[in-house]
Amino acid sequence: MKKSIFAVLVLPMIAASCSDRECEPIATGDFTMTVNARVANPSSRAGYTIENLTEFALIVDNASAPSFNINTKIVHGTDGWNSFDGAPLLWDNGLNSVDVIAFAPYRDNVTMTTNNLSIEALADQSTEDAVLASDFLLMPKTSVKPTASDKNLNVVLAHKLAKLVIIVKGAKEEINDLKINGLKLKGTLDLSAAESPVTLIEETAAVVPFNNDGAFEAIVMPQDLDNNFSITFKDGDEMYRWTYTGTGSLEGGRFYTVALEINKPNQVQLADDITIGSWNSNNESTYTKFEE
């Protein structure tokens, strides 16, 4: 009987002693994830660059340890890239391979199985902010395997849409009222599929581009071109229209420089071959002749 009483009296002492930090549960060995992010090489200042990227969405699917799944907004601070609310970003104990998707701008209620993420290029892109709002960066589903010596998560965000740059030569006065006509500006993105294809919404609209020191820039959806695609502008008060009559397409991740030349009153034509370059790399460019 005395032994039983003694045992009961000792229990509060044990409980009290475990209030100290040395009695807290031992850490499970989870590894801190260090997020490094960059934007693929830009071709101009309009749109996202690593200098103006402040946040992006990060989705991590850990099939081996689902409790380590991540779906959050990542923001940039003085100590690098971290979750917006300070929640720790962790690899699991076994450093298992994970699937990762990242995109900007951030959207909530998006998962790795989302197949209809709405995206849109604005009709009015006459300011740098409007061009930025039309840009969409994506790292499609990518398998990442951390190691004991490398626990970084390297996020490379690439431009998913296309960029058009329009240059007009031979003007007598200042070019004004330039518009890009006949393009589809809205669509959806399938994050669940490889390379996250874009499905377009059929409605077309005119785009007012940003005047970047005489080079008119606009971000547009990837799409096939037809004779609805045209460029209109004024040289002073004189109105001009160039209409596309060939076969071709605008591909995501590329930028297209279209140089037009006024050759006589009220007539305009291509001044040179259209330059097609990679928006996501400075090391690639080709030339093509669109039929007129």
Side-chain angles (χ1 to χ4, degrees):
M1 184 67 178
K2 289 183 179 179
K3 289 182 179 180
S4 299
I5 293 172
F6 177 76
V8 171
L9 292 175
V10 168
L11 283 175
M13 297 173 61
I14 296 174
S17 66
C18 281
S19 64
D20 297 331
R21 288 189 62 84
E22 61 267 18
C23 288
E24 290 181 355
I26 298 174
T28 59
D30 309 328
F31 298 104
T32 299
M33 176 188 296
T34 300
V35 176
N36 299 317
R38 71 178 179 89
V39 177
N41 294 332
S43 62
S44 72
R45 72 172 186 257
Y48 278 113
T49 68
I50 194 57
E51 285 76 22
N52 61 23
L53 181 69
T54 59
E55 63 182 44
F56 61 89
L58 177 65
I59 304 173
V60 177
D61 183 19
N62 189 326
S64 300
S67 61
F68 288 86
N69 287 350
I70 297 170
N71 192 334
T72 191
K73 181 196 299 184
I74 302 297
V75 298
H76 191 264
T78 55
D79 56 346
W81 295 97
N82 294 286
S83 60
F84 78 102
D85 57 0
L89 304 172
L90 301 173
W91 302 107
D92 69 272
N93 299 352
L95 294 176
N96 287 291
S97 179
V98 299
D99 287 331
V100 179
I101 288 177
F103 61 85
Y106 173 80
R107 309 271 191 86
D108 56 9
N109 300 318
V110 178
T111 70
M112 203 161 282
T113 59
T114 296
N115 60 10
N116 60 349
L117 178 62
S118 296
I119 55 175
E120 177 181 3
L122 298 181
D124 185 354
Q125 297 185 33
S126 57
T127 66
E128 287 190 76
D129 286 343
V131 177
L132 184 64
S134 300
D135 202 1
F136 189 88
L137 301 179
L138 176 68
M139 184 174 85
K141 186 184 293 185
T142 304
S143 179
V144 177
K145 179 71 171 75
T147 65
S149 60
D150 184 2
K151 304 180 188 67
N152 294 334
L153 176 61
N154 297 316
V155 174
V156 181
L157 293 157
H159 300 278
K160 184 64 178 176
L161 306 188
K163 175 179 283 190
L164 275 174
V165 181
I166 313 297
I167 299 171
V168 179
K169 301 179 180 180
K172 295 178 180 179
E173 301 184 45
E174 184 177 359
I175 297 299
N176 64 91
D177 199 24
L178 190 145
K179 294 180 181 178
I180 304 165
N181 309 291
L183 294 181
K184 302 175 180 69
L185 302 184
K186 298 180 181 180
T188 60
L189 201 64
D190 185 358
L191 295 180
S192 67
E195 302 305 320
S196 301
V198 174
T199 300
L200 293 172
I201 295 173
E202 290 302 313
E203 180 182 358
T204 63
V207 179
V208 178
F210 171 63
N211 187 349
N212 187 0
D213 297 326
F216 295 85
E217 301 188 3
I219 294 173
V220 298
M221 304 289 285
Q223 58 195 283
D224 294 330
L225 298 176
D226 57 28
N227 57 12
N228 290 315
F229 173 50
S230 67
I231 298 168
T232 56
F233 61 89
K234 288 182 179 180
D235 178 8
D237 293 328
E238 295 291 325
M239 187 73 180
Y240 292 85
R241 175 185 292 271
W242 174 78
T243 300
Y244 174 73
T245 58
T247 56
S249 61
L250 302 174
E251 298 181 15
R254 294 183 179 275
F255 69 91
Y256 299 76
T257 302
V258 181
L260 301 177
E261 184 173 23
I262 299 170
N263 59 353
K264 61 178 62 175
N266 301 113
Q267 289 190 15
V268 62
Q269 64 183 22
L270 282 175
D272 201 350
D273 291 353
I274 293 175
T275 304
I276 306 174
S278 173
W279 194 4
N280 296 316
S281 171
N282 287 337
N283 300 319
E284 178 187 354
S285 64
T286 58
Y287 298 87
T288 186
K289 185 71 174 179
F290 281 14
E291 298 176 8
E292 290 192 274

